[in-house]
Amino acid sequence: MFRPLELFIGLRYTRAKRRNQFVSFISLSSILGIALGVTALITVLSVMNGFERELRDKILGMIAHATVEAREGGMEDWESVVERARAHPEVLGAAPYVSGEVMMTRGGQVSGGQLRGVLPDQEGDVSRVMEHIDGDAADALQPGEYNIILGWALARELGVRPGDRVTVVTPEARATVAGIVPRLKRFHVAGTFDVGMFEYDRGVALVHMDDAATIMRLGDGVSGVRLQFRDLMDAPWLAREVGRDLEGSGLRVRDWTQEHASFFRAVQTEKTVMFVILTLIIAVAAFNIVSTLVMVVNDKRSDIAILRTLGASPGTIMGVFMVQGTVIGVVGTILGVAGGVALALNVETIVPALESLLGIAFLAPDIYWLSDLPSDLRSQDVGRIAAVALVLALLATIYPAWRGARTEPAEALRYE
């Protein structure tokens, strides 16, 4: 009458009120355990995806997709390098730069940092830092004016505001009749920028490329040329291709994955480890399914024996209990996916609300790379997590179902 029989009886057992209330409690705890594990796994992976995305975007907001540098000394013929690089169909922009480590002082405040010389009209082709400069301070970067734009955290460290002056001291010294003295130059603070990464906001200062080349004693040369590609994920092979075009000119090309390879590998490793650890929560809930079904089998042995006497095969009995265990896994997974998706989509709102309520900052900007908790929900992660939960729930039903299938028809007499 009922097809398929396994599905009908399995669902009937799931809906029925059990005499053993402890079995019902274990079933509920199994559902909640799977739901909690799936929710936690989706949320954590979404947050880690968000961290990776934000870090990549913010890092690449300050560095280019690839950098062309001279193997020794500065790059003199940088104009031809820019022209040849821009001729490549996948290169969107190319801009020269001068970079060096310096010390900045004002009054009694001293701080180290990186002095970066740029061409304001070309820097926007290779980075987004110009978009984060306050007001029209970028217009003040004119050759010979010796204006400087500081990261907001660096300006705070030095205690300066737009209109103040800072002294830049280079690591190179010069010999005078009074002895060896460091080379220094006073700059006028034109403004500040905020790229959202404390490392750069605290350690980078922008000046015009000609001013930086002057104090770094590069003459008409530059430190290198920065490149922007159509797709940043293609940077490794595009950098090699551009490098082959420049082969023989004493230059080398490095892409962003080489400069930050260890960092992004660490993020990927952490994601893998967190996936394994949080999957164990789901596995524990799956073991609860084993306990639930073992007790159900013991509770239904007379029913099993009667079904076997009426002609039900061992496979049919296994199917009944596998359906019951699978229903627990499916309900828990659906609840977990719903909770995980809802939490991942709203974590950027929930965390600031908690910080405001508790009066604490979970991610202090002077300690962590990011001060906000980002989230990037990906459908492939949700599908993979749901599949893992369902597979674990299905595997957990095999042993109890096999144990129930071993009940012989003669055992019906024992329960009569």
Side-chain angles (χ1 to χ4, degrees):
M1 293 175 59
F2 307 103
R3 301 289 182 178
L5 182 63
E6 299 87 343
L7 180 61
F8 173 79
I9 299 178
L11 293 176
R12 183 70 180 82
Y13 279 174
T14 303
R15 297 192 306 270
K17 293 182 179 180
R18 299 181 178 86
R19 290 170 296 178
N20 191 342
Q21 295 299 318
F22 185 67
V23 175
S24 299
F25 173 77
I26 295 297
S27 298
L28 180 61
S29 66
S30 300
I31 293 175
L32 294 179
I34 293 175
L36 178 63
V38 172
T39 298
L41 195 49
I42 291 175
T43 304
V44 169
L45 286 187
S46 297
V47 169
M48 298 195 73
N49 290 336
F51 266 113
E52 185 179 16
R53 180 198 63 197
E54 290 295 316
L55 288 174
R56 183 174 62 243
D57 292 345
K58 292 183 182 296
I59 287 175
L60 293 179
M62 289 297 293
I63 68 171
H65 293 176
T67 304
V68 183
E69 301 172 335
R71 296 187 182 276
E72 296 182 3
M75 183 186 300
E76 298 291 340
D77 190 21
W78 59 268
E79 293 92 345
S80 65
V81 174
V82 170
E83 183 178 351
R84 292 165 63 184
R86 287 176 176 171
H88 195 285
E90 295 296 323
V91 175
L92 292 180
Y97 74 98
V98 173
S99 180
E101 299 295 327
V102 298
M103 183 171 62
M104 286 163 275
T105 67
R106 181 185 184 270
Q109 301 297 321
V110 180
S111 180
Q114 182 188 66
L115 189 70
R116 180 174 298 177
V118 300
L119 292 178
D121 57 336
Q122 297 184 28
E123 183 64 16
D125 296 337
V126 296
S127 75
R128 293 188 291 272
V129 65
M130 306 303 290
E131 302 173 5
H132 301 283
I133 296 177
D134 296 338
D136 56 354
D139 298 334
L141 295 183
Q142 300 296 329
E145 297 293 331
Y146 292 99
N147 291 321
I148 189 170
I149 299 176
L150 306 174
W152 69 268
L154 180 57
R156 185 185 64 180
E157 181 74 16
L158 294 173
V160 299
R161 296 179 179 180
D164 295 337
R165 291 186 177 273
V166 296
T167 301
V168 175
V169 184
T170 66
E172 297 181 2
R174 56 190 176 92
T176 67
V177 293
I180 303 297
V181 296
R183 299 179 61 248
L184 50 87
K185 181 66 180 178
R186 297 191 73 187
F187 280 79
H188 177 265
V189 179
T192 61
F193 64 84
D194 180 4
V195 297
M197 284 196 67
F198 190 79
E199 179 182 0
Y200 294 114
D201 292 332
R202 171 63 180 78
V204 176
L206 301 177
V207 299
H208 193 277
M209 189 181 73
D210 293 347
D211 296 343
T214 299
I215 65 173
M216 295 294 177
R217 289 187 172 182
L218 290 178
D220 294 331
V222 299
S223 299
V225 173
R226 305 166 75 200
L227 307 178
Q228 184 88 356
F229 299 125
R230 294 186 184 276
D231 188 347
L232 66 92
M233 303 309 296
D234 293 334
W237 70 269
L238 286 175
R240 291 193 296 269
E241 195 169 284
V242 172
R244 285 194 296 269
D245 296 339
L246 301 173
E247 191 173 359
S249 54
L251 304 175
R252 64 179 179 182
V253 183
R254 293 170 55 85
D255 65 89
W256 68 274
T257 61
Q258 291 174 298
E259 296 181 13
H260 299 276
S262 58
F263 178 78
F264 285 99
R265 278 200 298 266
V267 173
Q268 289 294 332
T269 301
E270 289 176 2
K271 287 174 61 178
T272 303
V273 171
M274 291 304 298
F275 183 86
V276 173
I277 292 175
L278 294 177
T279 300
L280 295 179
I281 299 178
I282 305 176
V284 171
F287 276 112
N288 283 343
I289 296 178
V290 176
S291 303
T292 300
L293 292 184
V294 167
M295 287 186 285
V296 170
V297 167
N298 290 333
D299 189 49
K300 300 294 185 181
R301 294 188 75 86
S302 59
D303 295 356
I304 298 171
I306 293 173
L307 289 172
R308 294 280 285 119
T309 303
L310 294 176
S313 66
T316 299
I317 303 301
M318 283 192 66
V320 168
F321 293 104
M322 290 184 71
V323 166
Q324 189 174 3
T326 302
V327 168
I328 296 175
V330 169
V331 173
T333 301
I334 292 175
L335 293 177
V337 168
V341 170
L343 189 57
L345 291 176
N346 294 280
V347 69
E348 298 179 26
T349 303
I350 296 174
V351 172
L354 290 176
E355 290 180 336
S356 177
L357 179 65
L358 301 177
I360 60 175
F362 294 125
L363 299 176
D366 56 342
I367 299 176
Y368 300 98
W369 284 65
L370 298 177
S371 56
D372 300 321
L373 196 63
S375 178
D376 182 13
L377 182 64
R378 300 177 183 176
S379 58
Q380 59 268 32
D381 286 340
V382 175
R384 182 175 55 168
I385 294 167
V388 169
L390 291 175
V391 168
L392 289 176
L394 182 61
L395 292 176
T397 65
I398 294 178
Y399 171 72
W402 172 79
R403 183 175 177 180
R406 293 179 60 191
T407 302
E408 296 296 334
E411 292 190 33
L413 299 176
R414 188 181 308 170
Y415 297 99
E416 288 295 332

